[in-house]
């Protein structure tokens, strides 16, 4: 990636080139129609097919991306699997950041009935969600408390009611990645099957009214590529960020049934930062102009991107690598084409944040035949 020139970039084309696009390729709105596929990566190793790069860390026979109906990992009675042969040989597996261990906790007894896992940024939001789901499923009782299963640590919080697990993941790719490693291992040790995992959260919209809900079709990086790149043992590993298409359709149908708020299906851009990484002008550092920012965001919109957050790419990559049926549902708190700061009243933002919870809650209720 070329470094951003300092103090300012001189044109929209420079903004896009700084975002890893090949000089001969442009994603300006005039050059790429809405919904078009992102350009080929200019960072990929030459001569290595994209599909080979996407599965370079998986054991033989394991495919990248979510399973299909023709795939041996199809969801019918499918136990959660890991993409790591080492874990099966371990006498004890300590999930340090959950304060849980296979030697001190009976995972099948505690979690074996889990069919739906919902993850979100803050502990309070996930506690609110588990209370909401308990009421929706008729499992709530007056005065009942939902203890934090991970009370032995302050890293993450976990709550459970019936077949639903609600887990906080913190903010950003590193935090959710650590949580997902231990969460997927927890589901594996518990011998869970037919699990659906959904991230519910907040985001910045692109060309959408605040309060709109985006169901992610594909998670893309800040260069608009549908992939997640990580350095493993000093080498670049690239994994697919495809999500389950049927699950997207099911969630969209649930939103149509609810008919309570605007919901769209679109690509979600996952960045490494809230400020410069998302083209904001109000951070402690900034080396571009409003014009540059607008060019970048319009290019993103032209590539089918409808919202921006900081977790979806690694979420999609890890769930796909382990064959988990996964989705991302986020509400937009503002339209980034109109500004950078979130300044809506607290009560408005609180209602916005309930929208993904209501949609996913309805989906779970419908899936269990209780709608």
């Amino acid at each position: 990636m070329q470094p951003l020139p300092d103090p300012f970039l001189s044109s929209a084309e420079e903004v896009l080139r700084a975002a890893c696009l090949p000089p001969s390729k442009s994603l300006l709105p005039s050059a790429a129609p809405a919904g078009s596929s992102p350009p080929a990566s200019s960072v990929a190793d030459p001569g290595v097919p994209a599909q080979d790069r996407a599965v370079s860390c998986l054991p033989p026979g394991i495919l990248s991306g979510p399973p299909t109906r023709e795939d041996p990992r199809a969801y019918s009675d499918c136990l959660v699997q890991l993409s790591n042969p080492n874990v099966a040989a371990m006498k004890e597996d300590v999930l340090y950041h959950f304060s849980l261990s296979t030697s001190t906790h009976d995972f099948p007894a505690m979690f074996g009935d889990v069919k739906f896992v919902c993850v979100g940024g803050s502990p309070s939001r996930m506690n609110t969600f588990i209370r909401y789901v308990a009421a929706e499923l008729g499992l709530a009782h007056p005065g009942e408390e939902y203890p934090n299963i991970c009370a032995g640590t302050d890293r993450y919080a976990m709550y459970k009611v019936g077949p639903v697990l609600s887990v906080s993941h913190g903010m950003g790719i590193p935090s959710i990645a650590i949580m997902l490693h231990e969460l997927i291992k927890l589901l594996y040790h518990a011998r869970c099957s037919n699990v659906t995992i959904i991230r519910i959260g907040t985001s910045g919209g692109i060309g959408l009214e605040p309060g709109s809900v985006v169901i992610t079709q594909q998670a893309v990086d800040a260069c608009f590529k549908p992939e997640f790149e990580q350095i493993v043992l000093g080498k670049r590993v690239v994994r697919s960020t495809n999500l389950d298409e049927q699950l997207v359709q099911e969630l969209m149908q649930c939103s149509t049934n609810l008919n309570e708020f605007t919901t769209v299906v679109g690509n979600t851009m996952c960045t490494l930062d809230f400020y410069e990484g998302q083209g904001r002008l109000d951070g402690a550092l900034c080396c571009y102009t409003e014009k540059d920012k607008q060019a970048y965001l319009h290019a993103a919109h032209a590539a089918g991107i409808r919202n921006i957050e900081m977790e979806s790419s690694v979420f999609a990559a890890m769930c796909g690598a382990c064959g988990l049926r996964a989705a991302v549902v986020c509400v937009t708190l503002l339209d980034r084409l109109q500004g950078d700061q979130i300044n809506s009243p607290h009560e408005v933002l609180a209602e916005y944040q309930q929208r993904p919870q209501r949609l996913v809650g309805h989906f779970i209720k419908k899936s269990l035949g209780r709608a």
Side-chain angles (χ1 to χ4, degrees):
M1 180 184 298
Q2 296 179 354
L4 291 171
D6 196 16
F8 296 105
L9 295 173
S10 59
S11 69
E13 284 292 338
E14 286 183 339
V15 173
L16 298 179
R17 282 199 296 272
C20 304
L21 299 181
S24 61
K25 302 260 185 195
S26 173
L27 276 179
L28 288 173
S30 60
S36 62
S37 298
S41 168
S42 62
V43 184
D45 294 334
V48 180
Q51 64 270 25
D52 291 341
R53 289 185 288 111
V55 299
S56 58
C57 255
L58 303 184
I62 300 295
L63 306 178
S64 66
T68 64
R69 298 295 172 183
E70 296 74 26
D71 188 312
R73 298 172 299 154
Y75 302 117
S76 178
D77 297 323
C78 179
L79 290 171
V80 173
Q81 299 295 324
L82 304 180
S83 185
N84 177 6
N86 299 300
V87 176
M90 296 170 59
K91 294 182 179 180
E92 178 187 16
D93 192 2
V94 178
L95 308 186
Y96 171 73
H97 301 90
F98 284 168
S99 190
L100 299 172
S101 169
T102 55
S103 67
T104 56
H105 297 79
D106 187 343
F107 283 30
M110 294 173 67
F111 306 107
D113 62 340
V114 168
K115 299 298 181 184
F116 303 93
V117 181
C118 296
V119 302
S122 72
S124 62
R125 185 186 304 161
M126 302 321 293
N127 181 268
T128 299
F129 178 72
I130 206 67
R131 293 174 182 275
Y132 172 75
V133 168
E136 286 294 294
L137 297 181
L139 300 175
H141 302 286
E144 184 172 4
E145 294 295 324
Y146 299 92
N148 177 11
I149 299 172
C150 298
T153 177
D154 59 0
R155 294 294 183 183
Y156 303 105
M158 180 185 297
Y159 308 95
K160 184 181 182 297
V161 64
V164 182
L165 196 63
S166 177
V167 190
S168 69
H169 60 58
M171 188 183 299
I173 287 175
S175 183
I176 190 174
I178 294 168
M179 187 281 294
L180 284 171
H181 275 284
E182 299 189 10
L183 172 63
I184 296 172
K185 290 199 297 175
L186 179 153
L187 299 172
Y188 165 78
H189 290 305
R191 298 189 60 77
C192 294
S193 63
N194 308 322
V195 174
T196 297
I197 179 169
I198 303 176
R199 167 170 141 69
I200 54 177
T202 59
S203 63
I206 303 181
L208 296 175
E209 286 294 319
S212 301
V213 171
V214 179
I215 303 171
T216 302
Q217 182 171 27
Q218 201 170 47
V220 302
D221 63 16
C223 304
F224 312 161
K225 300 191 301 294
E227 56 188 41
F228 173 67
E229 178 184 331
Q230 187 172 14
I231 304 300
V232 179
L233 300 181
K235 298 179 180 179
R236 296 174 60 254
V237 175
V238 179
R239 293 186 172 100
S240 167
T241 55
N242 290 329
L243 290 161
D244 187 88
E245 295 180 6
Q246 181 177 334
L247 182 54
V248 169
Q249 295 171 7
E250 292 174 10
L251 287 164
M252 190 64 195
Q253 184 59 52
C254 285
S255 180
T256 301
N257 295 342
L258 284 175
N259 195 29
E260 295 180 1
F261 40 77
T262 299
T263 304
V264 302
V265 173
N267 293 342
T268 296
M269 180 162 68
C270 181
T271 67
L272 302 178
D273 166 52
F274 184 81
Y275 286 97
E276 284 188 301
Q278 298 185 11
R280 279 183 161 83
L281 298 170
D282 59 340
L285 306 176
C286 183
C287 58
Y288 43 86
T289 67
E290 171 72 19
K291 180 180 178 181
D292 298 328
K293 181 192 84 170
Q294 289 292 333
Y296 180 70
L297 294 180
H298 278 90
H301 188 274
I305 296 168
R306 294 297 176 265
N307 64 331
I308 312 172
E309 45 86 273
M310 297 182 288
E311 293 87 16
S312 61
S313 63
V314 70
F315 174 83
M318 292 184 66
C319 291
C322 293
L324 284 166
R325 192 177 191 227
V328 178
V329 180
C330 289
V331 70
T332 61
L333 301 183
L334 77 166
D335 180 0
R336 287 297 317 287
L337 296 176
Q338 304 301 319
D340 295 336
Q341 298 208 330
I342 302 169
N343 50 24
S344 296
H346 173 75
E347 59 273 15
V348 172
L349 294 176
E351 194 279 324
Y352 285 170
Q353 292 182 42
Q354 292 172 7
R355 295 182 179 185
Q357 298 187 23
R358 296 206 299 272
L359 172 53
V360 174
H362 180 74
F363 165 78
I364 293 173
K365 191 174 179 180
K366 182 178 179 180
S367 300
L368 294 173
R370 303 185 187 182

